[in-house]
């Protein structure tokens, strides 16, 4: 095969199970505050004290600095998003609304640094086969472009369903940026930890993209943080699953595959940059404060499917000077 060695039926079935479990856990923590506290606060404390010091050690596939940093940055994102969802004054404060964009950019930057680091590596490192090459530089540049095109953070708001589930909605984070991110992130995982990419790349990315496209539109970043946190906690506790278990699927480590995925990632992210720059220039938008895509049907669909919480709607129509959601808005009022 081009990307991976042979994929037996039981590994393919386990891939589906991993996707389903990640989606289920992410949905559980989306609809339940108690589940979020249990899984993003209590569980990590237990694992940090009693499990990871014995499983995520030096020389293991999950013992590198990157895995330790990634699990805690993903958890920081989950907790920060919970604060936005459950503390109303945070969701109305422009400085707190910077947090999702900042934590996202930091997570991408961590991977960019690792991609550049892998460029000079060959053979086994930290329990993983490395095949460094120009594809690492290509994809690192794509990651930087992905950071540059993060936009519309000022439009983030909290939606509440009839059953009380609170979701962080980012209307300006539309499908084309998400696909560019998915291509970049898969290429990164394939470059840096290729033998994990069947699950940590493909399954993990699908598990947050499906809910954002088909369950709760506009919620991609919340699902991304949650599924990433679950996956990192699991693989640090059970590193053999992706490394040496019967379900493991190895990369081909073929330079042609590495180059192809990084090239697709770079092309997609360059295209998003070009599209955004054109909208910024033609529509005279400020990408640091304005939402860029308020006129698109995909943006309007997100708003229609996710009505804001009553408290937020009241704040937008009261003395704070907010404007109705869906219009071209100015800066978000500070609480």
């Amino acid at each position: 095969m081009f990307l991976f060695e042979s994929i037996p039926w039981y590994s393919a079935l386990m891939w589906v199970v991993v996707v389903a479990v990640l989606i289920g856990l992410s949905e559980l923590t989306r609809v339940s505050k108690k589940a979020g506290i249990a899984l993003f606060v209590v569980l990590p404390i237990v694992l940090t004290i009693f499990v990871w010091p014995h499983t995520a050690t030096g020389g293991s596939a999950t013992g590198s600095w990157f895995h330790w940093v990634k699990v805690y940055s993903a958890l920081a994102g989950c907790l920060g998003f919970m604060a936005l969802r459950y503390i109303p004054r945070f969701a109305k404060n422009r400085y707190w609304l910077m947090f999702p964009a900042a934590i996202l950019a930091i997570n991408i930057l961590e991977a960019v640094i690792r991609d550049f680091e892998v460029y000079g590596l060959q053979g086994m490192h930290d329990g993983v086969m490395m095949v460094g090459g120009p594809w690492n530089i290509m994809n690192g540049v794509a990651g930087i472009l992905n950071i540059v095109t993060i936009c519309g953070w000022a439009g983030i708001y909290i939606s509440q369903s009839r059953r009380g589930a609170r979701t962080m909605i980012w209307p300006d984070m539309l499908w084309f940026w998400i696909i560019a991110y998915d291509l970049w992130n898969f290429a990164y995982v394939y470059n840096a930890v290729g033998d994990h990419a069947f699950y940590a790349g493909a399954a993990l990315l699908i598990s947050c993209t499906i809910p954002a496209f088909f369950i709760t539109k506009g919620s991609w970043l919340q699902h991304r943080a949650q599924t990433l946190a679950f996956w990192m906690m699991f693989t640090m506790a059970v590193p053999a699953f992706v490394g040496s278990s019967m379900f493991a699927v190895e990369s081909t480590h073929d330079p042609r595959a590495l180059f192809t995925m990084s090239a697709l990632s770079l092309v997609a992210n360059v295209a998003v940059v070009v599209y955004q720059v054109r909208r910024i220039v033609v529509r005279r938008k400020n990408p640091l404060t304005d939402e860029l895509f308020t006129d698109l049907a995909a943006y309007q669909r997100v708003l229609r499917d996710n009505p804001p919480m009553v408290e937020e709607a009241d704040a937008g129509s009261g003395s704070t000077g907010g404007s109705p959601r869906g219009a071209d808005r100015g800066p978000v009022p500070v609480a």
Side-chain angles (χ1 to χ4, degrees), residues 22-23 26 40 78 204 207-208 211 222-232:
L22 288 173
I23 291 175
S26 188
F40 297 137
C78 295
L204 183 55
S207 70
C208 60
Q222 181 177 316
H223 285 293
R224 173 57 176 165
Q226 292 172 173
T227 54
L228 179 61
F230 287 131
W231 178 253
M232 294 303 299

Side-chain angles (χ1 to χ4, degrees), residues 5-14 198 246-249:
E5 299 293 352
S6 61
I7 303 174
W9 68 267
Y10 47 83
S11 294
L13 179 61
M14 181 54 70
F198 185 66
M246 64 179 288
F247 302 109
V249 173

Side-chain angles (χ1 to χ4, degrees), residues 135-196:
W135 37 85
N136 298 107
I137 304 301
M138 293 164 59
N139 200 55
V141 172
I144 294 172
L145 296 179
N146 200 241
I147 294 173
V148 170
T149 52
I150 295 172
C151 65
W153 59 267
I156 293 172
Y157 69 99
I158 307 304
S159 176
Q160 183 167 329
S161 70
R162 294 180 180 179
R163 296 184 178 181
R166 298 186 181 186
T167 308
M168 186 183 74
I169 303 297
W170 192 335
D172 227 34
M173 185 170 277
L174 295 177
W175 62 270
F176 43 85
W177 187 93
I178 294 171
I179 290 175
Y181 174 96
D182 284 354
L183 287 170
W184 162 77
N185 191 261
F186 179 83
Y188 160 72
V189 177
Y190 195 72
N191 288 345
V193 279
D195 290 337
H196 299 184

